[in-house]
Amino acid sequence: SVDLSTRRLVVRPVAAEPVADKSYELWIVAEPFGPAPRSLGLLEDVGAPTERALDEISPAVLRDALFGISLEPAGGSPTGRPTGPALHGTLIPTAPPDGD
């Protein structure tokens, strides 16, 4: 989930399992960043929520962004791009837009 007013992202794993010698990495794809995904860092623990401050990204960009999680070598992608299987999704509004 992303709180657009505070620009805080929270990833709550539901069925993710730890994988030996692998890390889950969070990505964002948004028009201002170009066509390639941009890393938002690793999920620290698949058994607990991971939080990120996205202060440098505007609420309008966050609202329209595509988010993904990929399975990478331990420590994250060595290429700066997703290298493993990925899941992607967009945000679903839960409140009316506030005009930002």
Side-chain angles (χ1 to χ4, degrees):
S1 63
V2 176
D3 182 325
L4 294 176
S5 63
T6 63
R7 293 184 256 179
R8 302 261 330 147
L9 171 108
V10 178
V11 177
R12 291 178 182 84
V14 176
E17 297 287 332
V19 179
D21 299 321
K22 299 285 185 179
S23 296
Y24 289 96
E25 192 160 354
L26 179 63
W27 304 89
I28 185 171
V29 178
E31 189 174 320
F33 307 139
R38 175 177 166 186
S39 178
L40 294 175
L42 302 179
L43 300 184
E44 292 93 16
D45 177 1
V46 297
T50 295
E51 294 189 29
R52 291 280 180 278
L54 303 176
D55 298 332
E56 75 284 0
I57 305 173
S58 77
V61 170
L62 290 172
R63 183 177 32 247
D64 296 334
L66 176 69
F67 293 88
I69 296 175
S70 63
L71 188 60
E72 300 294 341
S77 171
T79 66
R81 303 282 186 263
T83 64
L87 299 171
H88 298 90
T90 57
L91 298 178
I92 298 171
T94 58
D98 58 5
D100 56 346

